[in-house]
Amino acid sequence: MRKPLIASATLHVALVALFVLGMPPSDRKLDIPESIPIEIVDMGEVTQAARVDKGEPKPPVPYKHLTLPRICTV
């Protein structure tokens, strides 16, 4: 039981040291793509949909009486 505890503590200390001290710098340069311009428009300018009157809402359908099956009784 003692060996796994020592191994775990050693790995955790190494991981924390790696985060604190940081990774070594890389020679690779990141390719950052140029930004894409977009235009924000109001939806009223884009769509010309006609409003439709839906009428009165339908009454809700009542649920049937549901009973749960008895699995076990004590």
Side-chain angles (χ1 to χ4, degrees):
M1 168 111 181
R2 193 164 203 182
K3 287 183 182 181
L5 182 63
I6 293 172
S8 176
T10 304
L11 289 175
H12 277 87
V13 167
L15 187 64
V16 169
L18 183 67
F19 282 127
V20 170
L21 300 176
M23 298 283 289
S26 175
D27 293 338
R28 292 187 301 165
K29 296 201 177 194
L30 296 176
D31 293 330
I32 301 175
E34 295 183 22
S35 61
I36 301 172
I38 60 169
E39 181 180 351
I40 300 175
V41 296
D42 191 20
M43 285 303 293
E45 297 174 9
V46 177
T47 61
Q48 298 295 329
R51 293 193 176 258
V52 177
D53 185 20
K54 294 182 180 180
E56 294 190 23
K58 296 179 182 178
V61 177
Y63 289 107
K64 294 182 179 180
H65 181 67
L66 299 176
T67 58
L68 296 176
R70 290 187 177 249
I71 296 175
C72 66
T73 58
V74 180

